[in-house]
Amino acid sequence: MLKIIFIFLFSLGLSACDDYDSPKPQHAVASAHPIATQAGIDILNQGGNAFDAAVAVSATLAVVEPYSSGMGGGGFWLLHLANDQSDVMIDGREVAPQKAHRDMYLDQSGNVIPKLSIDGPLSAGIPGQPAALAHISKKYGKLSLQEVLAPAIKAAQQGFKVSKYYQTMAGFRLQALQASPAAAEIFLEDNKVPAIGYTIKQPDLANTLIALAEQGAAGFYKGKVAGALVTGTQTAGGIWSLKDLADYKIATRKPIVGQFGEFKVTSVAPPSSGGIALVTMLNILEDRKWSTLGLVDRKHLIIESMRRAYRDRAMYLGDSDFVSVPVARLTSKAYAKQLAVDIDMSKMTPSNRLPGLDVEAKGNHTTHFSIIDRLGNRVAATLSVNYPFGSCFVPPGTGVLLNDEMDDFSAKPGKPNAYGLVGAKANEIQPGKRMLSSMSPTFIESDDKLAILGTPGGSRIITMVLHSILNVVDGKSAVEVVTAPRFHHQYLPDEVQYEEGSFSAEEANVLVLRGHRLRNLKSGYGNMQLVIVDKKTKQTTAASDPRGEGLAIVE
Ligand code: GLY
């Protein structure tokens, strides 16, 4: 049965897995790369739990999907511990180095200097992923860090094959990669985009991972690796210091929790905007009795809820260790009622009628995976180096591709930066501060069902997770959920961005008559990785977004 479904789905270009015959608990991994998914499944089959598998998958994605996440980046790991049914968020987000300052990307006239926050070592925050992996392994895992990092070390030593997708990403960032000799040596072939099938080997990264495996976080943040990271960044004009690395700490945070009908929704807290925005949108939909509406009215209401939640994102959200974020208010049902009060079902609300700031979609690159083990431990993790291949800068001898997550700060609070991004004071640059994120690893759970989900996609991450929650609640299968067409509104620009198939011709006409400006993106976006468990039948299903090249395995 299993095999038949696999063959059928692969013929559709989908990766998904259902084992309808099995009544016993199953484990499942869905990730953006087959080698990473297999690494997670192998660790589970070696007796590891979901947290061991999460470390293995994170580290392997760092090797085989270098354009999405990495040891030079960061992320959020949302964990569910089956033994006491608790949830915890591990915040391994990058922080601004001590020499960072509010105006570091501005010229003397106060204008944003193009690309400074995107390419090269000045764009890199202090990475959080190595510390997060060491912490998750030590505190929650059953196997040793050496055992769980072994698949990633092997992948780095033996190499992986360049795919069409890799080519697209490398082509997009070719010039920036060429500017870093160490990056070009690893990720290009003769300084050009590699041919399909070319093998990318990363011996320096393998050695960095070995140092992490043997010494824990100190293997990365202190000693030889830290020395090479700092020398490499400073030589190329960066501002990292040994103290920045030695001082890096992960944060353990209480997740954001909401209730949508019978489903408990658990997602990530600041410095991600995801959990708060999701709960705000769901509360608005519930207040306006979303499920009783016809299809076009539902879509109109979803757009209006997105508009309002993203206005709040721009206005209020930043690192809650530095600025006061009104979490309880923004996630309350009473506040959603207040936000929903001016939603007119016969016409859209122009965004410029809502007080606030300008924000723009970004072409971020990021990754997500979802895992459950047979005991019911779960992990939803979204990890990033920001733009494809991050800063495109590798400090020589480390194999570590640095992030360009500093671009997630507001380069100039209140004014658009070179990429049209605008934010509030809450997200301005300060030393040691975490930049605002949209990454939204999420669990939803009712008495009957649970789902583990998330996706990359920059500012569209949150609305993709919203669509998937609504589709799971609606009873759609894992494959249907990851395949469903998506649309997005983020307050400003005041337009609905959509994938082909999101609206029927009739729905599009109605939405336009209500004043919505519809923009067909003419291409797909996102890479949702989803696991669903039917708690009554104990059947587990999982699916990896057909827009990507990932793989889901249930067994
Ligand atoms: N860099 C992507 C995000 O954190 O939203």
Side-chain angles (χ1 to χ4, degrees), residues 317-379:
L317 300 191
D319 181 351
S320 53
D321 292 343
F322 282 72
V323 293
S324 165
V325 178
V327 177
R329 183 166 75 90
L330 297 178
T331 56
S332 72
K333 301 272 183 201
Y335 178 67
K337 193 175 266 308
Q338 219 176 300
L339 283 181
V341 96
D342 64 350
I343 294 178
D344 183 341
M345 290 305 289
S346 68
K347 57 178 191 294
M348 55 84 92
T349 312
S351 287
N352 61 13
R353 264 206 233 139
L354 304 174
L357 291 160
D358 198 2
V359 286
E360 176 68 66
K362 313 175 54 174
N364 286 350
H365 225 283
T366 298
T367 194
H368 177 89
F369 64 83
S370 297
I371 297 181
I372 190 162
D373 68 19
R374 290 184 182 138
L375 296 173
N377 297 304
R378 307 170 215 153
V379 180

Side-chain angles (χ1 to χ4, degrees), residues 74-76 93-94 271-273 313 362 364-366 382-387 404-405 407-408 435-440 457-459 461:
F76 304 123
R93 183 70 163 162
E94 300 89 336
S272 176
S273 54
R313 181 192 192 278
K362 313 175 54 174
N364 286 350
H365 225 283
T366 298
T382 312
L383 319 174
S384 185
V385 285
N386 200 26
Y387 269 50
D404 58 355
E405 221 77 62
D407 193 64
D408 275 348
M435 53 297 281
L436 187 61
S437 172
S438 299
M439 294 189 287
S440 310
S459 61
I461 289 176

